[in-house]
Amino acid sequence: RGAVEKLRGKIEIDSTQGKGTSFAASFPLTLAIIGGMIVRVGPELYILPTTAIRQVLRPAKESYNNVIGKGEMINVMGKLLPLVRLYSLFGVPPLHENPWDAIIVVVEAEQSSRCLLVDEIIGKTEVVIKSLGEGVGKVKGVSGGAILGDGRIGLILDTEGLFEIMEQKNIQRCP
């Protein structure tokens, strides 16, 4: 118990006579380490959790479609997936606006997939998740930040939050 409290965590004990005992330990988000892929969008660096990544590709021009009522789509292995332009969501000037000039990262969240448009893949890393702090608060689509090996900051993206932002934008566009 002392070791858990030293790490600013808490431990809960649930015991039932004749059945057993269960222990639940929780720690602050600052102690969570995730594997991620560092991507660049314009001048900014973002980290995508590797558990959410399904595929990375540079699509052919012919695989891009604009479907009426559904928006921009990319044909990935015979399946049309919605395109998410991260530069648009975060207000960052991109290096590439055309999907066939950029890189597509296919990510999953809750049984659905989307194509994230990024300019460059920097590499794979493990990072300690840091909260954005009280001043910034909770930002939809971002689960925290990380200090990278070279001292730069990368935002850790939350794919489920990104999907929600995209759906809200689609709802606002289509009455």
Side-chain angles (χ1 to χ4, degrees):
R1 179 177 177 200
V4 170
E5 288 175 351
K6 191 174 181 181
L7 293 171
R8 295 181 321 202
K10 67 178 185 177
I11 190 162
E12 294 178 18
I13 303 169
D14 186 28
S15 184
T16 305
Q17 190 171 358
K19 298 247 180 182
T21 303
S22 66
F23 298 88
S26 60
F27 298 94
L29 187 59
T30 57
L31 296 178
I33 297 175
I34 65 159
M37 182 182 293
I38 304 170
V39 298
R40 180 187 314 279
V41 177
E44 303 296 328
L45 297 179
Y46 299 96
I47 301 157
L48 290 166
T50 52
T51 55
I53 298 171
R54 197 173 93 199
Q55 186 176 354
V56 176
L57 61 117
R58 179 160 295 184
K61 196 171 187 175
E62 303 77 45
S63 66
Y64 173 81
N65 296 286
N66 201 335
V67 179
I68 295 172
K70 291 192 177 192
E72 296 180 293
M73 310 286 268
I74 301 289
N75 186 335
V76 178
M77 298 173 58
K79 188 174 182 183
L80 286 177
L81 299 177
L83 177 65
V84 178
R85 293 177 180 266
L86 288 179
Y87 69 84
S88 177
L89 290 181
F90 292 116
V92 175
L95 296 176
H96 306 290
E97 289 188 25
N98 294 323
W100 50 90
D101 293 331
I103 295 171
I104 298 294
V105 181
V106 181
V107 294
E108 288 183 316
E110 286 193 24
Q111 310 298 325
S112 65
S113 298
R114 303 277 194 280
C115 294
L116 302 183
L117 183 80
V118 303
D119 291 320
E120 180 183 7
I121 294 184
I122 304 298
K124 190 177 177 213
T125 189
E126 285 193 344
V127 294
V128 176
I129 300 174
K130 297 280 187 188
S131 109
L132 296 177
E134 298 289 324
V136 176
K138 186 155 175 61
V139 178
K140 191 169 270 193
V142 177
S143 59
I147 300 171
L148 303 174
D150 61 3
R152 291 185 292 176
I153 304 293
L155 292 178
I156 301 167
L157 299 181
D158 167 31
T159 53
E160 290 180 32
L162 291 175
F163 289 9
E164 286 178 30
I165 294 170
M166 187 184 154
E167 287 172 15
Q168 286 174 349
K169 284 190 172 205
N170 286 341
I171 290 169
Q172 291 169 0
R173 251 188 278 145
C174 305

